[in-house]
Amino acid sequence: MKRRIQALFVALCLTTGSLLSGCGGSGQQGGVTATEHVAETETEAGHAKSLAMMQANDNALQVIDDKYRTFYEVFLYSFYDSNGDGIGDIRGLIDKLDYLNDGDDTTDTDLGVNGIWLMPVMPSTTYHKYDVTDYEAIDPEYGTMDDFKELIADCHERGINVIIDFVMNHTSSKHPWFTQACDYIKGLNGAEPSAEECPYFDYYNFSKEKKNEVYYPVGDTGWYYEGKFWSEMPDLNLASEAVRKEFDDITSFWLDLGVDGFRMDATGEYYSGQNDKNVEVLSWFNDMVKAKKDDAYIVCECWTDMDTYAQYYASGVDSMFNFAFANTDGTIANSVKKVGKATASTYGKKVASLQKKFGEYNENYIDAPFYSNHDMGRNAGYYSGENAEAQTKIGAAMNLMMSGAAYVYYGDELGMKGSGKDENKRAPMYWSKDASAEGMCKGPSDMDAVKMKYDSLEEQQNDPLSIYNFYKQAIKLRNEYPQIARGTVEFVKEMSDDNICVLTKEYDGTQIMLVFNISDQEQTVDVSDVKMSPDAELAIGGMLTTGEDAVTLEYGELTMPAYSVVVLK
């Protein structure tokens, strides 16, 4: 039986009807020439087709209240400014929560995410705030603790979980722990230090010798301290029971405020090059936090190869960011661009292999796929040429169709650009092309001028073919099918090739098939022998298309336009 998307019929009706009503002896209608009218109706038809294809993803949402969420990474500084000082803030995020998720499953105006990762919000001396001066406060640039409490409450009303960036590798050099330790050392006058006299001396890695280039002098005392990332970010001694007690208390403080978990910064540098020690620290942290809140979610950054960060799952933490799939040279971008030997099948094989790779260390792991973040060039810059927009979209779909808790960096849903220095990667959210529009942020002071490649939200929200609307549909599919985030994955090798990737996902006794066309040409796939359910005929359950052409399923043959994804059920 032929199953063509309703868009074809809608588009045809619109085109035919408009042309008939536009015929007349004068060749004009209401002052519009016939040629102009045809052009207008063709545009209308295209938009109607796109909208109808979106309406094909119109199944009931099945959003489950667990840790398999779709997270949105927010850099408050550049997100939305509520008070006109040019700096984004907590109240600005509150103002824009309906953009992320309005809490009403019957509407289709929000992005549909159900998790927020807040980059650091604690007081700091820098714009990025990864150098903390007080672990139990909100940076005044961002607002007040009352603002934060309101944010948490409003998020929870919408079904959004909030995790906060947790910087445990180091503090600011202005943190009272460090300043008091340094003052103590400066007053020793050659005497040997004692943690009993000054407990904070034991909080950091002080040494009488400059062990390497990341050790910095404590004045002219002859003492040095370790600071792997920067001289103004002294490393903490995480072997110290006193330091661990501090973080025990600090996590209690934030959990009592209602946060749902923590994003752990720089876990591979607690003890650089010593994975066993890093795993031990995370084991302690995981056990400590979950003894207080058993459903707290912990996701960790360890920017290294997969074989290494896979080992960190042995700590019991929920998730490790899956760096192998991200960035301009990751599995997703390489498979889209066909770099070297990478193909559509490469993506499928690697997705399916994660279960064994990560499950070896923790059978309860939850993968954390992402595509770009605040430390990487934005993914819209991974592609160039005539297919760049379609490739940007399909890459996003490949990220969001992965199992686990998926992450989207703010502005990526608009195809924002930003590369080079870190400040460029953290540019103001592109709400409007008018930099003086309400809520627009000024961005980091050292940021270069970043010229965006695609339109702002103002234009994209009204364009059914925009990157923004593509992201909305991808997240909607993720919310419609629990199998996408939670399913056991199998790569269907015999149906896949360089351009087509076929995966099956099974969860809670039900199965779906995901078919990706990762090429710039229409592809056909023989699905005549595929049956997702013994009681139902194979059907299209949803799709993501990067252009106006429709996906069709006819007599066991699946026809897919360039750069598209389909869910079969």
Side-chain angles (χ1 to χ4, degrees), residues 403-451:
S403 297
Y407 287 77
V408 174
Y409 185 39
Y410 83 95
D412 278 358
E413 75 276 17
L414 303 177
M416 282 179 59
K417 285 183 64 179
S419 60
K421 63 171 70 173
D422 284 344
E423 290 84 352
N424 299 348
K425 304 164 188 173
R426 304 161 189 176
M429 176 67 173
Y430 202 32
W431 302 108
S432 171
K433 291 180 178 177
D434 180 1
S436 64
E438 183 178 355
M440 290 293 290
C441 300
K442 62 185 181 183
S445 59
D446 290 339
M447 181 185 76
D448 297 327
V450 180
K451 181 175 176 56

Side-chain angles (χ1 to χ4, degrees), residues 217-236:
V218 181
D220 58 359
T221 63
W223 284 88
Y224 299 85
Y225 66 91
E226 186 181 26
K228 295 186 195 77
F229 287 96
W230 182 33
S231 61
E232 305 311 304
M233 290 178 172
D235 284 11
L236 285 161

Side-chain angles (χ1 to χ4, degrees), residues 142-184:
Y142 285 169
T144 67
M145 190 59 73
D146 284 340
D147 293 335
F148 185 81
K149 291 176 182 177
E150 184 178 337
L151 171 67
I152 297 295
D154 286 358
C155 284
H156 287 171
E157 284 182 6
R158 290 168 166 77
I160 301 172
N161 279 9
V162 180
I163 62 174
I164 61 170
D165 227 315
F166 206 73
V167 186
M168 200 168 69
N169 180 71
H170 50 261
T171 68
S172 167
S173 61
K174 305 301 183 188
H175 194 291
W177 299 344
F178 187 71
T179 58
Q180 290 181 58
C182 289
D183 287 346
Y184 170 70

Side-chain angles (χ1 to χ4, degrees), residues 22 55 69 77 91 103 121 126 160 312 349 450 507:
Q55 290 163 4
R69 293 178 177 265
Y77 195 95
R91 297 219 65 84
V121 297
T126 62
I160 301 172
Y312 284 51
K349 291 173 186 176
V450 180
Y507 171 74

